[in-house]
Amino acid sequence: MPVENPSTEKKIATITLGGVADADAAVAAAKAAFPAWAATDPLDRIATLERLIEVYKTRAEDMAQAISREMGAPIALAKTAQVGSGAGHLKNTIRTAKAFVFERPLGDHAPGDMIIHDPVGVCALITPWNWPMNQVMLKVAPALAAGCTVVLKPSELSPLSAILLAEMIDAAGFPSGVFNLVNGDGAGVGTILSSHPDIDVVSFTGSTRAGILISKAAADTVKTVSLELGGKSPNLVFDDCDVDKAVRMGAAFCFNNTGQSCNAATRMLVQRSVYDQAVEIAAAKADATKVDLPSNSGNHIGPLVSEAQFDKVQSMIQTGIDEGARLVAGGVGRPEGMNRGWFVKPTVFADATADMTIIREEIFGPVLALMPFDSEEEAIALANDTPYGLAAYIQTGDKERARRVAARLRAGMIQVNGASRAAGSPFGGYKQSGVGREGGFWGIEEFLEIKTISGIV
């Protein structure tokens, strides 16, 4: 299968898609390596991860170039956020693992009962293309720290960064069979791993549609399934905040990574008294957002990852127009002067309604839709009126309002007034945004079984 540069539409590499024999071989290697790795002292596993982070640092430029070329992230974003997120998750996993208590008493009332956290076993890790190292490291690092062995299936659209990581893991000195990589597509290797009797955990990040299929495939073998899926995150802008700053930052966040982020704030709900102002600001931000080649330095967005994604986003923009939303910036077609590559215009719709497709469905492109609200109660109702529940954002100058609203939003992650999420904060959501959490203690716990032992103390 060719790997294409989405900014040029040219082939930059070729991978071989695995089949049943390849997946079986990887699972067998992981199964054979599991007993010894699981029995390793946690501090020794941590030491191996510490060697990995040193190797990762030396290959950071290679990783940035690979990510930029395979999925179109501007090189500045690739060097900072894309590569940096992988390093950050690895560092945080090491810090968390050092503090993790794998064995402890049940409590003062039961001094003879112990709680043991055992590694689950062999893990299938299926990762997406939009934040390659962010998602790979959120799974690989905690699974290995927990004492599990892994089979990684990266997205076939962004395999080069994962292959590079495999080289790094080898250089760091992990035992043979502890980490395995099989390239393939979801219908092939993904399905094989999900239903494989020797896989104990499937950890998947991607679309809700694919997550449902993986859950069904895994059901017959009653394995643990962890899912980080889609989102349609609301950004609630109240009239008591700095409206100009809130809207500009909200639009920029929506457009970042060309809108290809599951937690992007794609629904901007604005109090009616400042709604017209917000529409103007969002449209101006879209018009000012530069679209350029990923290889060029500077602050801009790059292309979408593929022709299929380009076609989907174009169709969604046209649907927004057809269903009556007011187009105030961007629109269908490539930006002016670009006739090659999967580039799209940063797009803003105003006057969207709750039943419109651009409000209901995840677009995964730089498309922002604005809706007005009159009361706090209405804002909460509109925010929660979605099958998703990954993230939500609140902009207000009233701390008590922020607490009230945050308490009632049905989402796994709430950020107020642009506050960033701290290292180790759990990542995941409610409803059709997934099952389970990644990051910090919660990320390691995803790969552990709980065993109780009575009468040995």
Side-chain angles (χ1 to χ4, degrees), residues 55-201:
V55 177
Y56 190 91
K57 290 176 183 176
T58 67
R59 303 292 302 273
E61 178 64 27
D62 295 338
M63 182 63 78
Q65 293 293 338
I67 291 173
S68 182
R69 293 174 67 222
E70 70 186 357
M71 58 76 59
I75 190 62
L77 180 73
K79 289 181 177 181
T80 53
Q82 290 276 7
V83 173
S85 62
H89 293 315
L90 182 51
K91 289 178 184 177
N92 185 66
T93 298
I94 291 168
R95 180 172 59 249
T96 303
K98 286 179 178 178
F100 200 97
V101 180
F102 287 89
E103 299 184 13
R104 63 173 178 80
L106 175 62
D108 293 340
H109 69 291
D113 288 37
M114 292 296 294
I115 302 297
I116 312 297
H117 291 86
D118 275 347
V120 176
V122 180
C123 304
L125 312 178
I126 304 174
T127 57
W129 46 262
N130 58 323
W131 287 89
M133 276 303 103
N134 179 76
Q135 296 305 136
V136 166
M137 206 64 83
L138 267 175
K139 300 181 189 299
V140 169
L144 297 179
C148 295
T149 55
V150 307
V151 180
L152 171 66
K153 191 210 84 66
S155 168
E156 65 274 23
L157 297 179
S158 60
L160 305 183
S161 52
I163 293 169
L164 190 57
L165 177 65
E167 295 177 7
M168 298 180 195
I169 285 176
D170 187 55
F174 281 84
S176 178
V178 168
F179 173 91
N180 306 271
L181 184 149
V182 181
N183 282 312
D185 58 19
V189 173
T191 300
I192 295 166
L193 294 177
S194 300
S195 59
H196 201 292
D198 290 332
I199 290 289
D200 301 289
V201 173

Side-chain angles (χ1 to χ4, degrees), residues 1-5 10-15 69 159-160 163:
M1 176 180 173
V3 180
E4 295 182 352
N5 183 327
K10 292 182 179 180
K11 184 175 76 171
I12 55 174
T14 302
I15 60 169
R69 293 174 67 222
L160 305 183
I163 293 169

